[in-house]
């Protein structure tokens, strides 16, 4: 967790820096969209095969090799910027390479935890990991802004290389149990088909992934269009957008810390259903909110709901999935969640041009209905 936290911190700082750099340099919505496409699409294309690899090879080695490849590509980009080659096209190219590395390692990371942690402690372990993610999301924008004030973009890229190296060194010290699977007669396509058959044969697992995918798609407006809603309601001052993001992150962090400290007896699907309904209700209430304090408080409530769906649902999937299929299972989970943003924005973006209320109202109602039907995954 520490190794991945350090590595994730560097990557997140770079992500913010790249987004802001391109926004300030171009002022183009198309260029900003290019960042989103090169961030999510390559990892989605490679993720399924990353899941197959995670089930066939030691996941620790996969994570270390993928991190090394990402760090090397970032190092090359840093050197290019250092010598004055700083075209936007190079950023898109290396961002795509970084995304491919992430797509390979994401299923491996999620398949490692159930190997190391007893099943009865998985919820708390996942909560700790979520807490680390929340802290990083909370502090990264500020750190990125400070670094960009004192350093060039090449310096920002070098920081990511350093954090990746630290993460790899920390991970190398961990002893992982040997995998039972043999790599003899390894055929990626056949392994992938086998994973699909396994998921379809397990109704609880299939429904869990469907629920995860539906939820990820319906909450896209909350993650992508809330700044637009706030700017149209209160103006486009930076402090307003910062307050909204901070309130969400604090809410998510507090709940994650609570879940990591206290072992709840509440069944996972009840927490998941409550979270879905909370998200839906808050999205609807955000529409008429004309008071900034109320708006920030609603975002805090939405932050509370985030770990209550992500952590129990991830834990539930880990518990009901055989170890030999963990990588492939989470490759599908991460694939659908990665595709949710670009595909969601294809629908919600044009709707927001008609009325910003529509992409909050309709998904909000559907999220409430989804929460009421959450027992299908139990």
């Amino acid at each position: 967790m520490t190794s991945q936290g350090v590595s994730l911190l560097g990557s997140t700082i770079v992500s913010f820096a790249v987004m802001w750099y391109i926004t300030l340099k171009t002022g183009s919505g198309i260029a900003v969209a290019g960042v989103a496409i090169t961030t999510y699409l390559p990892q989605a294309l490679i993720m399924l095969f990353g899941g197959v690899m995670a089930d066939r090879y030691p996941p620790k080695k996969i994570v270390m090799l993928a991190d090394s490849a990402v760090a090397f590509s970032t190092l090359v980009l840093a050197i290019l910027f250092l010598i004055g080659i700083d075209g936007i096209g190079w950023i898109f190219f290396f961002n795509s390479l970084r995304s491919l590395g992430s797509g390979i390692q994401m299923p491996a990371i999620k398949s490692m935890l159930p190997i190391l942690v007893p099943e009865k402690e998985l919820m708390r372990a996942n909560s700790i990991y979520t807490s680390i993610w929340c802290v990083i999301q909370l502090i990264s924008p500020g750190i990125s802004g400070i670094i960009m004030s004192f350093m060039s973009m090449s310096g920002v890229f070098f920081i990511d290389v350093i954090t990746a190296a630290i993460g790899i060194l920390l991970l190398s010290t961990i002893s992982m149990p040997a995998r039972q699977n043999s790599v003899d007669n390894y055929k990626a396509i056949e392994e992938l088909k086998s994973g699909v058959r396994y998921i379809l044969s397990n109704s609880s697992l299939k429904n869990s992934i469907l629920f995860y995918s539906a939820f990820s798609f319906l909450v896209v407006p909350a993650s992508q269009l809330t700044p637009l809603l706030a700017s149209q309601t209160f103006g486009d001052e930076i402090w307003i957008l910062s307050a909204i993001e901070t309130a969400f992150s604090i809410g998510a962090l507090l709940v994650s810390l609570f879940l990591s400290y206290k072992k709840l007896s509440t069944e996972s699907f009840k927490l998941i259903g409550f979270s879905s309904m909370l998200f839906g209700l808050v999205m609807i209430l955000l529409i008429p909110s004309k008071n900034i304090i109320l708006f920030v408080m609603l975002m805090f409530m939405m932050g509370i709901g985030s770990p209550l769906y992500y952590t129990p649902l991830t834990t539930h999937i880990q518990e009901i999935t055989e170890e030999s299929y963990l990588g492939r299972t989470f490759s599908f989970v991460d694939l659908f969640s990665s595709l949710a943003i670009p595909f969601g924005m294809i629908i919600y973006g044009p709707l927001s041009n008609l009325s910003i209320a529509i992409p909050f109202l309709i998904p909000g109602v559907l999220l409430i209905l989804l929460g009421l039907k959450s027992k299908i995954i139990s």
Side-chain angles (χ1 to χ4, degrees):
M1 288 183 184
T2 304
S3 72
Q4 290 309 295
V6 172
S7 180
L8 180 61
L9 177 62
S11 297
T12 307
I13 289 172
V14 167
S15 296
F16 278 110
V18 166
M19 180 66 74
W20 294 342
Y21 175 81
I22 289 181
T23 300
L24 295 174
K25 186 170 183 176
T26 68
S28 167
I30 295 176
V32 173
V35 177
I37 292 171
T38 55
T39 297
Y40 292 104
L41 188 57
Q43 74 179 28
L45 294 175
I46 198 68
M47 200 173 290
L48 294 181
F49 293 100
V52 172
M53 293 171 63
D55 287 335
R56 279 293 171 181
Y57 299 99
K60 186 182 84 168
K61 291 183 178 179
I62 293 174
V63 173
M64 291 174 63
L65 289 173
D67 259 346
S68 299
V70 170
F72 180 74
S73 64
T74 307
L75 176 62
V76 175
L77 183 59
I79 294 173
L80 289 175
F81 266 67
L82 197 61
I83 62 178
I85 303 175
D86 58 355
I88 300 298
W90 286 112
I91 293 181
F92 289 163
F93 175 73
F94 283 100
N95 203 39
S96 297
L97 293 182
R98 288 164 52 83
S99 179
L100 288 172
S102 298
I104 291 174
Q105 74 179 92
M106 284 172 66
I109 291 172
K110 289 187 178 178
S111 68
M112 284 174 62
L113 206 57
I115 299 174
L116 295 170
V117 179
E119 184 175 311
K120 64 180 181 179
E121 298 293 347
L122 267 177
M123 177 77 84
R124 295 174 67 188
N126 281 312
S127 297
I128 294 171
Y129 193 78
T130 304
S131 299
I132 294 172
W133 181 86
C134 290
V135 170
I136 290 172
Q137 294 299 313
L138 189 62
I139 65 176
S140 291
I143 295 176
S144 185
I146 292 172
I147 291 174
M148 290 186 72
S149 299
F150 294 98
M151 300 177 66
S152 63
M153 280 300 295
S154 60
V156 177
F157 293 138
F158 276 117
I159 288 176
D160 189 28
V161 175
I162 294 171
T163 56
I166 295 173
I168 293 168
L169 288 173
L170 287 172
L171 191 58
S172 67
T173 65
I174 299 171
S175 297
M176 292 285 294
R179 302 299 295 268
Q180 298 299 318
N181 290 343
S182 170
V183 297
D184 296 335
N185 300 319
Y186 168 70
K187 295 180 180 179
I189 300 298
E190 290 302 318
E191 294 293 322
L192 194 57
K193 291 180 180 179
S194 175
V196 173
R197 288 193 293 268
Y198 174 77
I199 292 172
L200 293 178
S201 67
N202 187 326
S203 60
S204 180
L205 180 57
K206 178 179 65 178
N207 288 329
S208 297
I209 295 176
L210 288 174
F211 186 97
Y212 192 103
S213 303
F215 188 98
S216 298
F217 179 78
L218 292 173
V219 299
V220 166
S223 64
Q224 302 298 311
L225 294 176
T226 300
L228 180 61
L229 175 63
S231 65
Q232 290 186 7
T233 306
F234 307 109
D236 55 359
E237 296 182 56
I238 295 296
W239 74 266
I240 294 177
L241 303 183
S242 298
I244 290 170
E245 294 293 338
T246 301
F248 181 92
S249 298
I250 291 175
L253 175 60
L254 291 177
V255 174
S256 296
L257 290 174
F258 176 77
L259 291 176
S260 64
Y261 170 74
K262 185 174 180 60
K263 190 173 183 179
L264 298 181
S265 58
T266 308
E267 295 181 31
S268 294
F269 72 88
K270 290 185 178 179
L271 293 174
I272 296 164
F274 173 76
S275 172
S276 183
M277 289 187 286
L278 180 62
F279 258 88
L281 179 62
V282 170
M283 287 177 66
I284 294 172
L285 292 176
L286 283 173
I287 300 170
S289 299
K290 304 301 180 183
N291 183 286
I292 183 60
I293 296 177
L294 175 60
F295 200 98
V296 169
M297 290 177 62
L298 288 172
M299 290 303 296
F300 176 80
M301 291 176 59
M302 188 180 289
I304 288 175
S306 181
L308 292 179
Y309 104 86
Y310 175 80
T311 304
L313 191 51
T314 299
T315 304
H316 179 77
I317 293 173
Q318 289 170 336
E319 290 173 343
I320 64 175
T321 304
E322 295 178 22
E323 182 181 316
S324 59
Y325 286 95
L326 276 170
R328 279 165 286 183
T329 297
F330 276 104
S331 70
F332 280 99
V333 172
D334 291 331
L335 170 66
F336 296 139
S337 61
S338 295
L339 290 176
I341 292 178
F343 279 103
M345 287 305 293
I346 291 175
I347 296 174
Y348 299 127
L351 286 176
S352 67
N353 289 333
L354 296 175
S355 170
I356 190 62
I358 296 176
F360 283 85
L361 178 61
I362 297 175
V365 172
L366 293 176
L367 279 167
I368 293 174
L369 296 176
L370 188 66
L372 293 173
K373 296 293 184 180
S374 62
K375 288 187 177 182
I376 61 172
I377 67 171
S378 61

